Amino acid sequence: MSVPLIQQWRVGSYIMKQRLQGNARYPLVLMLEPLFRCNLSCPGCGKIDYPDEILNKRLTVAECLQASDECGAPVVSIPGGEPLLHKEIEEIVAGLIARKKFVYLCTNALLLEKRIDRFSPTPYLTFSVHLDGAKEEHDKAVGQEGVFDRAVSAIKLARDKGFRTNINCTLYEGHDVGKLADFISYACDDLGVEGVTVSPGFSYEHAASKDKFLNRQNTNALFRQLFKIGQGRKWRFSQSTLFLDFLAGNQNYGCTPWGTPTRNVFGWQKPCYLLADGYAASYKDLMESTDWDRYGAGHDPRCADCMMHCGYEATAVADTVAHPLKALNVFIKGPGLTAR
Ligand code: SF4
Ligand code: SF4
C-alpha cells in the first residue's frame, strides 16, 4: 500500500482536528534538511551549489527533533543534500519515529546498502529513492554512470529486509512519456516499491541548467498523456489522488506553502522548500513574520510554473478531507485526461 492505513488515519484525524480548532494554516509535512552536502551533483539540483562552509554545516540531532516538536507536522520528509551522509542520521530518524512521525528519508541510495543496518523496518519509515527514470535516463539525469544499478540494488536489499521503499521521480522538459510509463510499471511491478512520487522539477535560482524545466501547460499535458497510457496498469502513487488530478490540470488549487514548512541549516526557510526569501529563528516566527499572500501563481512570477508537492500536496490533502466524495470519484475514474 502506497500510504499505510495507520498513516492515512493519523493524518486524516490530524487535519480534522485542525479544522475543528479553526486553524486556517497548519503544517502537514516538515521538510527537514539536515545538510546540503551530496555525493552526486545533478545538473537540475538547487541544493548543492553552496560554498564549502555551508555544505559542511549539519543540523544536530537536537535541532532536528526540536524542529519536529516546534511545528508538530505528522509527516517528516528528510531531503538534502544526501541525508545518509549525516553521521547521526539514524538517531534523527529514531527520535522522529519515537514521536510517532511518519518519516520519508529521501536518498540517492548510493550509501543505502552500507548504512541500512543502522535502521529498522517499521510503517513509520520509508526510504524514498531518487530515480528519474530507467537506467539510461537516470544516469544521464544525475550525470554519472552506474548510479541506477546501485540504487536498484539498494532498493532490492531494502525490500528484502522488510523496509518500505518509494521512488521519487522528477520530470523535466523532453521526458519521453512512453519510457516514463514503462519505468513506473517497472517500479511497481518488478521492484515492488510501495509507491512512486512524480513531480515536475522546479527552476531553482541555483540550478545549473535552467532550460530543462516544464512550464505549467506542459506539465498538465505530460501528466494527461502519462495517465492515459497508465489506464489499466496497476500503478501505485504515493501522492494524493487530487494532487495527481491537479498535475493533469483538473483542479484549480492555490499554493499553501505553510503546509510544508522547511527547516535547514539556515533556520526556517521563507516561504517554502523552493524559494529562500529569508529565514526565521523559530517555527512560530516563520508563521507570524511571513507575508503568505505574496506567494503562489498570480502573486509572484517565480511561482508561475510551480506545481510542486511542497506547495500543493497539502492543498490537495485538505481538499480530500473537505470533499471526500469528489476525491473518491477521481480515485475511481482516474484523473481527467482532456484539456479543460
Ligand atoms: S541526488 Fe538529490 S541532492 Fe544530490 S545532487 Fe542530485 S538532486 Fe541534488
Ligand atoms: S508556488 Fe511553489 S515556489 Fe511559490 S510559494 Fe508555492 S511552493 Fe513555493
Side-chain angles (χ1 to χ4, degrees), residues 36 42-43 50 83 90 108 132 162 203 223 247 291 335 340:
F36 288 128
C42 309
Y50 288 105
E90 67 274 18
N108 58 35
D132 285 345
S203 180
F223 276 94
L247 289 173
D291 182 2
R340 295 206 311 173

Side-chain angles (χ1 to χ4, degrees), residues 48-289:
I48 53 170
D49 193 24
Y50 288 105
D52 270 347
E53 74 229 44
I54 303 298
L55 293 177
N56 289 339
K57 283 194 174 178
R58 306 284 184 266
L59 287 181
T60 64
V61 177
E63 285 171 327
C64 291
L65 299 181
Q66 188 190 341
S68 173
D69 292 343
E70 273 185 61
C71 91
V75 179
V76 181
S77 179
I78 310 182
E82 171 51 54
L84 292 178
L85 285 174
H86 194 298
K87 286 192 166 57
E88 295 164 313
I89 189 63
E90 67 274 18
E91 287 177 50
I92 296 169
V93 169
L96 293 169
I97 291 173
R99 287 161 169 75
K100 299 205 179 311
K101 304 297 177 185
F102 296 95
V103 178
Y104 287 78
L105 196 152
C106 307
T107 174
N108 58 35
L110 292 180
L111 289 170
L112 186 53
E113 287 181 289
K114 195 170 164 192
R115 304 267 158 92
I116 198 160
D117 289 329
R118 297 180 179 194
F119 303 92
S120 304
T122 156
Y124 287 91
L125 173 62
T126 301
F127 289 116
S128 180
V129 176
H130 169 197
L131 276 183
D132 285 345
K135 183 177 169 65
E136 188 186 338
E137 287 76 38
H138 184 63
D139 285 354
K140 189 173 164 203
V142 301
Q144 192 173 312
E145 279 186 28
V147 175
F148 177 88
D149 287 341
R150 287 176 67 184
V152 164
S153 170
I155 289 170
K156 287 178 177 169
L157 178 69
R159 301 274 310 134
D160 286 349
K161 286 181 174 280
F163 286 96
R164 292 178 49 80
T165 53
N166 273 1
I167 280 174
N168 178 357
C169 177
T170 307
L171 308 185
Y172 297 100
E173 191 62 72
H175 228 107
D176 181 318
V177 186
K179 284 186 182 173
L180 174 63
D182 289 343
F183 169 68
I184 295 172
S185 293
Y186 165 74
C188 294
D189 301 341
D190 299 329
L191 285 181
V193 296
E194 263 76 20
V196 177
T197 303
V198 274
S199 314
F202 181 76
S203 180
Y204 287 100
E205 285 170 68
H206 287 293
S209 166
K210 295 182 83 67
D211 55 351
K212 54 190 282 185
F213 297 97
L214 289 155
N215 65 26
R216 194 169 267 248
Q217 208 178 12
N218 290 350
T219 298
N220 294 162
L222 186 151
F223 276 94
R224 283 196 294 269
Q225 255 183 296
L226 179 67
F227 296 143
K228 192 168 187 180
I229 297 173
Q231 285 177 313
R233 300 199 196 187
K234 291 187 176 139
W235 289 350
R236 296 179 295 281
F237 289 106
S238 52
Q239 294 139 305
S240 70
T241 303
L242 287 181
F243 180 69
L244 296 173
D245 205 36
F246 164 72
L247 289 173
N250 304 309
Q251 300 293 334
N252 192 16
Y253 284 152
C255 170
T256 50
W258 55 84
T260 316
T262 297
R263 170 72 163 100
N264 58 32
V265 298
F266 297 119
W268 291 90
Q269 184 165 301
K270 298 181 180 187
C272 67
Y273 179 67
L274 305 165
L275 302 179
D277 287 354
Y279 295 88
S282 67
Y283 172 73
K284 186 169 181 289
D285 184 22
L286 171 81
M287 294 304 291
E288 291 176 355
S289 66

Side-chain angles (χ1 to χ4, degrees), residues 202 255-257 271-275 295-297 302-303 306-308 310-312:
F202 181 76
C255 170
T256 50
C272 67
Y273 179 67
L274 305 165
L275 302 179
Y295 297 100
R302 297 170 298 174
C303 300
C306 173
M307 299 189 78
M308 293 281 288
C310 52
Y312 295 92

